[in-house]
Amino acid sequence: MDYEFFDCNCSIGRTSITHPGSFDSPEVLVNKMDQYGISKALVYHAVSRDHFPAEGNPLIDTIVRKYDNLQPVWVVMPHHTGEFPNPAVLINEMQRKGVKAVRIFPSPQRQNYSLKKYSAGSLFDMLEADRIPLFVDIDEIGWDNIDSLLSEYGNLPVILCNTGYRADRYIYPLMKAYGNLYIETSRYLSHLGLEALCSTIGSDRILFGTSMPLYTGSGAVFYIRNLMLPESDRRKIASGNLERLLAEVRL
Amino acid sequence: MKRRIVDCHCHLGSYFNFYVPGPTPEDMIRSMDNIGVEKSCISPHMALTSDIVGGNAFMLETVKKYPDRFVGFFTYNPHFPELMKKEMENAFRVSGVKGIKIHQGTHGTNLMNSAYRYLYDFANKYCLPVLIHTWDIQTIKEIEALSAEYTDAVFIMGHFGAVPANMKIAASVINSRNNIVGDTTVSMMFEGNIEWLTDLVGAEKVLYGTDMPFIDPRVCLGRILASDLPEADLDRILGENILRILKGVRKYEI
């Protein structure tokens, strides 16, 4: 039996470097999703990541208004310099625009700020209070920072993306220690890794993702469809877990 | 006729740098059965990073135990040239051993190391495939030179150069020879990458490879099956090409 795929790790918009097969338009993204059998996607804008969140977030709002199957993700950052809204204003804006998930790029190579309380504390307090899922790439945060984040904000759902296939010696202890840690699947590619993780941690905290448009979504879907797990687990990973997380958002 | 899927680039066993949840031959067979892969060409991790004798012994044991599921690729470490001669000659007495694996990166050298010459002569004499870790331009250029000298050996550029800029150079070298092919072993591929590689070199020079159990094979197979390529090209990439190369291997004479 087939089931719905809900991609939690997608972006759109022009980037400064392209590759053969690269695309940046939402039309192509939606066509690719259709081709691969992906019904819905959470999408952030590349401009929010590569340039400036306050300029990229309105662009994703405009795009998702045209497509029923795309849902917006805002890239957020601390407000202290005045270049980005403070948490109270941000949450109101998110509520007004129907944004139920956020992403951060705090590394020195990207938006370059601290995740400590003095910098991001009020932002994370607000996200945690409303149980807004926070997406972050492991390369953006590092293993020790993710440990601190999970322990300081125990009710904040944190989805670790693009973990790679060499990460289990970090992921297993972190997922055992923190019930608010989730893993995205697109680069979690150790051999029989999802079957092994499910047998230890369970399937409730694994979310399907593709990393489109940087990488192809075709293999990501094939991977989940061919998991040697019960149908109920595959359904949860493909879309059920993400639907549940979004339903728990208090905005 | 049923499509034959043969993975030209696999390893075997645990690995020092990360947890491999499915390291055994039986785990690999379970994966292969799940997605319809008939055979996999193997060179154990241990031979790449640690004990060359122990690693090749694991390959031989596995090929003997599962002759219908695994093809052995003997790993050659140039730091032990005399030992390699003896080990290689013994290994190729086993009928399921049909190729050679070079990982010059983990062995801290390059393909022009003179200690590899015995291997190249051997591969040339028996028309063997030589699977080479091909991640950088230097390696691509060295394969270009060696393939002109050893014209009966078949050089497989494992990973096809790894990133698009290198893949383009690899493709031009592949196009300049009859005895070089490239494989699809890349953990994450850009949209349309399989179609692009096939367009650059032709479907008869692209081989399905996955790095299992270093990486799960499902993602790579999914990319190929979902590509826009004609069925005949998929047949070539997924199995016919490596089967043709293996069929061309001459019987080892003791």
Side-chain angles (χ1 to χ4, degrees):
Chain A
M1 187 187 283
D2 210 354
Y3 36 92
E4 187 170 82
F5 279 84
F6 190 170
D7 184 353
C8 79
N9 188 19
C10 238
S11 65
I12 202 63
R14 187 168 292 139
T15 54
S16 61
I17 298 171
T18 62
H19 302 285
S22 285
F23 63 90
D24 53 36
S25 84
E27 288 81 6
V28 178
L29 175 65
V30 168
N31 285 341
K32 292 286 177 191
M33 288 167 58
D34 190 46
Q35 182 185 344
Y36 301 144
I38 300 168
S39 340
K40 292 191 284 188
L42 284 180
V43 189
Y44 67 94
H45 204 283
V47 166
S48 298
R49 177 193 60 211
D50 300 339
H51 175 57
F52 185 38
E55 292 179 30
N57 292 340
L59 299 177
I60 201 66
D61 295 339
T62 305
I63 288 171
V64 299
R65 276 201 292 272
K66 294 182 193 160
Y67 300 95
D68 290 343
N69 55 349
L70 301 183
Q71 297 183 22
V73 175
W74 275 9
V75 175
V76 298
M77 60 185 284
H79 67 286
H80 307 287
T81 53
E83 62 190 322
F84 195 75
N86 71 48
V89 172
L90 177 70
I91 292 294
N92 281 338
E93 278 298 291
M94 287 175 61
Q95 191 162 25
R96 205 166 63 81
K97 297 280 174 61
V99 179
K100 293 191 167 187
V102 299
R103 197 167 184 118
I104 53 171
F105 292 94
S107 73
Q109 294 74 32
R110 296 271 192 201
Q111 289 158 14
N112 195 25
Y113 57 83
S114 171
L115 296 176
K116 297 280 187 193
K117 289 259 182 202
Y118 76 87
S119 167
S122 55
L123 174 63
F124 292 151
D125 283 340
M126 192 69 85
L127 297 174
E128 182 183 37
D130 288 324
R131 292 194 55 82
I132 297 169
L134 172 69
F135 290 79
V136 60
D137 292 349
I138 185 56
D139 289 349
E140 286 293 314
I141 190 165
W143 296 108
D144 289 340
N145 274 333
I146 196 86
D147 176 57
S148 304
L149 182 67
L150 292 163
S151 77
E152 286 170 23
Y153 306 93
N155 289 315
L156 174 64
V158 177
I159 300 92
L160 199 56
C161 302
N162 298 312
T163 58
Y165 55 90
R166 298 174 184 242
D168 279 331
R169 290 173 189 162
Y170 297 94
I171 287 174
Y172 274 65
L174 283 169
M175 290 194 85
K176 285 178 183 175
Y178 302 111
N180 55 329
L181 176 62
Y182 297 73
I183 295 293
E184 178 266 330
T185 59
S186 67
R187 298 185 72 179
Y188 185 76
L189 299 179
S190 55
H191 179 226
L192 300 175
L194 282 176
E195 284 88 348
L197 190 65
C198 285
S199 75
T200 306
I201 308 290
S203 60
D204 291 339
R205 290 187 283 142
I206 301 170
L207 307 184
F208 165 73
T210 63
S211 290
M212 284 199 290
L214 181 58
Y215 298 116
T216 178
S218 53
V221 170
F222 188 84
Y223 185 20
I224 305 304
R225 278 194 204 283
N226 288 280
L227 285 174
M228 290 181 274
L229 289 171
E231 179 79 19
S232 56
D233 287 332
R234 278 182 279 161
R235 281 181 184 280
K236 281 193 218 171
I237 294 168
S239 61
N241 293 335
L242 179 55
E243 296 280 16
R244 188 188 70 241
L245 269 183
L246 294 175
E248 288 169 359
V249 174
R250 291 173 186 153
L251 284 180
Chain B
M1 198 163 65
K2 187 176 178 288
R3 170 176 290 150
R4 299 182 71 184
I5 305 180
V6 178
D7 190 334
C8 80
H9 188 154
C10 285
H11 302 290
L12 180 65
S14 302
Y15 194 69
F16 73 98
N17 187 241
F18 57 89
Y19 171 49
V20 178
T24 68
E26 291 75 22
D27 291 327
M28 290 172 64
I29 289 171
R30 191 170 155 239
S31 270
M32 292 155 64
D33 287 345
N34 183 43
I35 53 175
V37 175
E38 178 184 325
K39 290 183 183 189
S40 293
C41 301
I42 52 167
S43 50
H45 294 130
M46 183 190 283
L48 307 181
T49 61
S50 172
D51 180 358
I52 187 72
V53 174
N56 279 320
F58 190 17
M59 177 273 288
L60 290 172
E61 176 194 323
T62 304
V63 167
K64 286 176 189 170
K65 191 171 178 184
Y66 300 106
D68 296 332
R69 306 309 302 275
F70 294 110
V71 178
F73 272 48
F74 179 88
T75 305
Y76 188 99
N77 184 333
H79 295 291
F80 306 96
E82 292 307 313
L83 178 64
M84 287 297 93
K85 285 181 191 174
K86 183 170 139 260
E87 290 281 316
M88 195 156 79
E89 287 171 13
N90 285 334
F92 278 88
R93 289 192 171 100
V94 177
S95 62
V97 180
K98 300 243 182 220
I100 297 171
K101 167 71 180 178
I102 294 177
H103 201 308
Q104 74 285 4
T106 59
H107 291 157
T109 186
N110 63 66
L111 300 181
M112 306 320 275
N113 184 330
S114 61
Y116 279 131
R117 290 288 164 174
Y118 178 81
L119 169 170
Y120 299 140
D121 285 329
F122 191 95
N124 203 51
K125 182 174 178 185
Y126 296 107
C127 304
L128 292 166
V130 183
L131 173 59
I132 299 172
H133 179 77
T134 309
W135 207 262
D136 54 37
I137 293 168
Q138 180 187 341
T139 302
I140 294 166
K141 293 294 176 191
E142 288 172 353
I143 292 172
E144 183 176 30
L146 291 164
S147 59
E149 194 175 342
Y150 299 96
T151 54
D152 289 333
V154 180
F155 293 83
I156 303 174
M157 288 188 179
H159 314 291
F160 221 117
V163 294
N166 294 355
M167 287 173 169
K168 212 168 176 177
I169 298 166
S172 71
V173 172
I174 288 171
N175 280 330
S176 72
R177 300 279 186 274
N178 293 321
N179 60 334
I180 313 178
V181 294
D183 80 28
T184 62
T185 309
V186 183
S187 63
M188 298 299 286
M189 268 201 173
F190 301 107
E191 187 66 40
N193 214 223
I194 294 290
E195 293 90 331
W196 178 64
L197 291 175
T198 305
D199 187 49
L200 288 177
V201 301
E204 67 283 356
K205 288 190 168 184
V206 180
L207 272 59
Y208 169 64
T210 68
D211 247 347
M212 176 174 66
F214 203 81
I215 294 172
D216 198 283
R218 286 171 282 202
V219 177
C220 183
L221 183 59
R223 278 178 213 137
I224 298 173
L225 291 175
S227 69
D228 295 332
L229 296 171
E231 292 293 313
D233 284 355
L234 294 180
D235 289 343
R236 290 186 187 101
I237 292 168
L238 289 170
E240 287 175 4
N241 291 337
I242 184 66
L243 287 166
R244 182 186 69 241
I245 291 165
L246 294 173
K247 197 175 173 189
V249 172
R250 287 191 191 135
K251 193 170 165 46
Y252 177 59
E253 296 157 4
I254 301 167

